[in-house]
Amino acid sequence: EKNNIYPEDKVIGINLGTAKRWPSKAWKKEFIIDLIKKLPYKVLVLAGPHEITLQEEILSQTNAITNNPLNTDLEFFSVVDICDVIVTGDSFCLHVALGLKKKTIALIFCTSASEIEPYEYATKIVSPFLHEYYYTDKDVDHLRGSITVDQVYQEITRLFQEDATRKL
């Protein structure tokens, strides 16, 4: 309630984090900001202790809400659980979202898409540069920008349209 999230709200969780070893697993900050501004839903920016500055920059430019980046794993699970859709790279959040059976959009930049089991919950959007930067541990800006805002927006829209169709 502190963030004015109510049961009828549609909430999109956008995860910022990746392991420090894999900086190219993270989507570009500018793209996250653009997506948040475009979405007609509540957006919850999910961050951990390594993303505090990035989280603050995004929050200062959008109307998004956020988790406590120093929360415990159990608290993080609870925050992910209130989201209707999660957008994340190949990260801890991806595995949490799938374990909670959340609709998930997995952004795959530099790790093996075939090693991620989507079950029936995840849609993978794979970078066209994946094979060129397979398992790179470098921060490659154009790689992190190779999945567009429109691709992610269209997938979120599709997921909500599927939900609406199922309820008819």
Side-chain angles (χ1 to χ4, degrees), residues 54-72:
L54 176 59
Q55 180 189 48
E56 289 170 354
E57 290 172 17
I58 291 169
L59 294 174
S60 74
Q61 296 180 51
T62 67
N63 62 352
I65 54 182
T66 191
N67 70 306
N68 175 352
L70 302 176
N71 56 16
T72 66

Side-chain angles (χ1 to χ4, degrees), residues 100-164:
L100 292 170
K101 301 179 179 179
K102 293 293 170 180
K103 290 179 203 127
T104 304
I105 301 169
L107 308 179
I108 310 298
F109 295 103
C110 62
T111 54
S112 176
S114 64
E115 291 178 16
I116 296 169
E117 174 58 51
Y119 303 97
E120 58 211 56
Y121 309 106
T123 301
K124 296 182 251 186
I125 302 177
V126 180
S127 167
F129 301 124
L130 173 64
H131 295 294
E132 185 178 342
Y133 293 101
Y134 198 63
Y135 280 105
T136 185
D137 59 358
K138 308 283 187 276
D139 187 356
V140 182
D141 190 63
H142 72 274
L143 173 62
R144 295 185 315 105
S146 63
I147 295 173
T148 69
V149 173
D150 283 340
Q151 286 175 283
V152 177
Y153 181 83
Q154 288 171 9
E155 187 57 30
I156 292 169
T157 301
R158 185 189 68 75
L159 289 171
F160 281 122
Q161 286 172 342
E162 272 183 10
D163 270 359

Side-chain angles (χ1 to χ4, degrees), residues 80-81 83-84 86 94-104 118-122:
V80 170
D81 200 34
C83 297
D84 295 288
I86 297 291
L94 172 64
H95 303 287
V96 169
L98 292 175
L100 292 170
K101 301 179 179 179
K102 293 293 170 180
K103 290 179 203 127
T104 304
Y119 303 97
E120 58 211 56
Y121 309 106

Side-chain angles (χ1 to χ4, degrees), residues 36-49:
I36 292 169
K37 289 178 177 179
K38 191 173 187 174
L39 288 170
Y41 310 108
K42 294 219 173 162
V43 178
L44 205 155
V45 176
L46 302 165

